[in-house]
Amino acid sequence: MLVLSATERLAGWWATRAPEALCRSIPSLARLVLRRTGAPPELDEDWDGLVREAADHVLAGGDGWDAVVVDGASDVSDAGWELAERAATGGVLWACVDPLRRFWPDRAVPRSWFDEVHSLETVYRSPALLETAQRFLADAPGEDALPDSLHLAPDRTPEEVVQNLDDAVVLSLRGQRDARGLVHHWRDERIPAETFLRFSGLEAPTVVIGDVDLVDDRLDDRLYLAITRATTTAIVCGPRGFFEHNEVLYGGLS
């Protein structure tokens, strides 16, 4: 069985739960296929080009699986679906979809490929955090008070906040390649730091969110995805002025 995901972290999580399967991110599988077939990956900066090239070679190297599971399917590009389809030639293709986790508006699951759709109950360990996070996606967020599980840290940095935390993760609202983001200069060896997208599909008891003042677009979507990664507590760090002008968070200032 092959388990594909959009990110390395999610693939690593699957590897601990399904050790009998090959668990890879889509770019990682692309590189593996190209190495096996003797076609060196020369398109590291062009992810879709790399993945499409691998799709052309996936069967030439003897690859092909009885079952392919695509997790985080809402975030998979067209090139990723080409690779997944080729990898599942002669086998079964499954897609795990949570529509509320979708971030890229130009990406979608090719539902015509699938004969059956099974709807499972989605269970979030912190309903209060989910309900608050959903206000970021609402046309009228309302003026409800913030739950006790959502904390604001005005004028404090994630580095300061995590000093007294253990089981936590720090999430940047910036992308992986943005040198301004905290992921690029994070030095705390106890607490991992990751981008909100690369942590999609995963969770941690406490999530500390930073770089809110560096977001130029789709702030609400980024906050929604980051906050819903917390199972117990979410802490948002940023300049006080950011909170004072945010329709959802301003009420949590003391």
Side-chain angles (χ1 to χ4, degrees), residues 135-210:
R135 290 171 59 192
F136 288 106
L137 307 183
D139 293 332
E143 298 182 355
D144 295 340
L146 299 184
D148 294 338
S149 51
L150 179 58
H151 304 279
L152 307 186
D155 296 328
R156 297 186 67 195
T157 66
E159 289 88 347
E160 294 171 330
V161 169
V162 301
Q163 289 180 5
N164 298 319
L165 299 177
D166 291 316
D167 199 359
V169 64
V170 172
L171 297 184
S172 167
L173 295 191
R174 295 303 305 162
Q176 179 186 3
R177 299 184 182 182
D178 191 333
R180 299 177 301 166
L182 61 85
V183 171
H184 286 265
H185 56 76
W186 189 256
R187 296 294 180 267
D188 194 313
E189 297 182 355
R190 300 177 307 109
I191 306 295
E194 191 54 276
T195 69
F196 76 105
L197 272 180
R198 287 170 59 85
F199 204 71
S200 178
L202 300 172
E203 58 187 24
T206 300
V207 169
V208 179
I209 301 166

Side-chain angles (χ1 to χ4, degrees), residues 69-126:
V69 177
V70 181
D71 195 9
S74 299
D75 290 328
V76 174
S77 67
D78 290 344
W81 284 113
E82 289 179 28
L83 180 58
E85 182 187 34
R86 293 296 300 276
T89 299
V92 179
L93 178 63
W94 291 82
C96 301
V97 183
D98 181 350
L100 292 179
R101 271 176 44 198
R102 182 182 179 189
F103 182 73
W104 303 107
D106 58 342
R107 298 183 180 183
V109 177
R111 293 186 178 268
S112 62
W113 291 9
F114 300 93
D115 296 326
E116 299 180 23
V117 176
H118 303 275
S119 297
L120 303 178
E121 181 182 1
T122 301
V123 178
Y124 290 90
R125 297 185 184 179
S126 178

Side-chain angles (χ1 to χ4, degrees), residues 215-234:
V215 175
D216 301 320
D217 65 307
R218 301 186 63 190
L219 171 66
D220 290 343
D221 293 322
R222 296 167 194 255
L223 280 169
Y224 170 82
L225 289 172
I227 288 174
T228 56
R229 299 306 94 210
T231 60
T232 302
T233 304

